[in-house]
Amino acid sequence: MTQPRWLDQTEMAAWRAFLTTSHLLERRIEEHLKAAAGLTHPQYEILVRLAEAPGRRLRMTELARDVVVSKSALTYQVGGLEKAGLVERLTCPSDDRGVLARLTSAGADLLERVAPAHLEIVRDYLVDRLSRAELLAMTTAMRRTEEALRASG
Amino acid sequence: MTQPRWLDQTEMAAWRAFLTTSHLLERRIEEHLKAAAGLTHPQYEILVRLAEAPGRRLRMTELARDVVVSKSALTYQVGGLEKAGLVERLTCPSDDRGVLARLTSAGADLLERVAPAHLEIVRDYLVDRLSRAELLAMTTAMRRTEEALRASG
DNA sequence: CAGTGGTCGTTCAAATCTGAACAACAGCTG
DNA sequence: CAGCTGTTGTTCAGATTTGAACGACCACTG
């Protein structure tokens, strides 16, 4: 092991601000989605990804990767969405092991109804508080980290 | 309700990058701490906050606020730390309702042993990938959001 | 001092997440 | 086609989180 490299004041402040804020924002979003639509945040993100996908359907594995959730958590959350009639499961025609999750029209309707208030939160607390330059800087920085994490994980 | 204001491409990219990366990084950290020291991430943060506090002790409520965790989750996590001898509970002298969590020397030792590898992850995946200007920009941006969330929550 | 409203930390049930184990299947090699 | 290795999604047990309910206590008011 090499010499430990501590974080200096600037670095530590940045890291803590990031950590604290991401947790606070996550809490707020979770609270809102549950109250407004009875959805968890992962469930909301599942609906979003499906709504954007061609044919409104995606493989479970791809969905899990997109939403950043474990396979078992995805099974659990899709189970809830299916019970609520917002998503349905199809067997994948090209791979008998595979399962396709497809957004139902009820799911699309719910998403359209809930999205505005959700995005309003994202705006009020994050997006509208950043300048255009800050938005771009954050995007590239976050993507560098994402790429590194995905490459090694 | 006013007109829904969708996010444009730049805004949406920034928000998704932030969301995805924070989840990925959280997963990685959790995985490392569990393997290296049998700690959850909240538990690690509890140890850090206590180590910095005067007298290595803090009120439960303040700890919960700092670590951004619910009161009941804090009770649970401190319970585990106490069982492992890393933290001990004292009744607060100035307030009989209150409980002080105090870092034990075993807790301080464990923290010193685990911190370097933990910080190495924070470095490798986030801090070292940001320029000094980006670090500062992120800090102020995150703090603006944190302040807004705390003020309204 | 009794009364009131608020705070503190814990407990409990329910919801959710994780990781390992598993059966079924895909893709390739011989 | 048999055999092997890797992937897919689910299941299960255990760990963790949440929110509501609760008893104990504080601070203040009359």
Side-chain angles (χ1 to χ4, degrees), chain B residues 41-58:
Chain B
H41 193 192
Q43 283 177 334
Y44 176 86
E45 293 297 328
I46 289 167
L47 297 183
V48 170
R49 300 291 176 163
L50 290 179
E52 292 169 342
R56 285 178 166 178
R57 71 195 67 191
L58 281 174

Side-chain angles (χ1 to χ4, degrees), chain B residues 50-151:
Chain B
L50 290 179
E52 292 169 342
R56 285 178 166 178
R57 71 195 67 191
L58 281 174
R59 286 289 290 269
M60 293 294 276
T61 294
E62 190 175 357
L63 205 41
R65 200 196 102 105
D66 289 350
V67 180
V68 188
V69 92
S70 68
K71 287 183 301 177
S72 42
L74 182 65
T75 295
Y76 177 79
Q77 296 290 7
V78 169
L81 290 171
E82 194 177 23
K83 208 166 299 179
L86 306 172
V87 159
E88 53 193 355
R89 283 184 223 243
L90 315 174
T91 51
C92 180
S94 63
D95 185 340
D96 280 346
R97 298 168 301 176
V99 171
L100 287 169
R102 179 172 62 184
L103 189 65
T104 66
S105 55
D109 289 350
L110 178 64
L111 185 55
E112 274 191 40
R113 196 160 63 248
V114 175
H118 170 73
L119 293 177
E120 202 63 29
I121 291 179
V122 176
R123 269 200 183 289
D124 286 351
Y125 291 110
L126 187 68
V127 170
D128 281 353
R129 295 176 189 277
L130 273 60
S131 70
R132 204 65 6 193
E134 286 172 330
L135 282 176
L136 292 171
M138 185 169 83
T139 304
T140 61
M142 293 294 106
R143 281 186 176 161
R144 284 200 287 269
T145 295
E146 177 182 353
E147 191 180 4
L149 283 164
R150 294 222 192 258

Side-chain angles (χ1 to χ4, degrees), chain A residues 2-23:
Chain A
T2 56
Q3 283 289 334
R5 299 149 60 217
W6 300 94
L7 302 184
D8 67 29
Q9 208 169 353
T10 300
E11 293 167 335
M12 188 57 92
W15 165 235
R16 291 209 170 160
F18 175 79
L19 189 61
T20 298
T21 298
S22 66
H23 287 166

Side-chain angles (χ1 to χ4, degrees), chain A residues 80-123:
Chain A
L81 291 171
E82 194 178 21
K83 207 167 298 178
L86 306 173
V87 159
E88 51 193 357
R89 283 185 223 243
L90 314 174
T91 52
C92 180
S94 63
D95 186 339
D96 279 348
R97 296 168 303 177
V99 172
L100 287 169
R102 180 172 61 184
L103 189 65
T104 66
S105 56
D109 289 351
L110 178 64
L111 184 56
E112 274 191 41
R113 196 160 62 248
V114 175
H118 170 72
L119 292 177
E120 201 64 30
I121 290 179
V122 176
R123 268 201 183 289

Side-chain angles (χ1 to χ4, degrees), chain A residues 115-125 127-129, chain B residues 1-8 11-12:
Chain A
H118 170 72
L119 292 177
E120 201 64 30
I121 290 179
V122 176
R123 268 201 183 289
D124 285 351
Y125 292 109
V127 170
D128 281 354
R129 295 178 189 276
Chain B
M1 177 90 74
T2 56
Q3 282 288 335
R5 297 151 60 219
W6 300 94
L7 302 184
D8 68 30
E11 293 167 335
M12 187 59 91

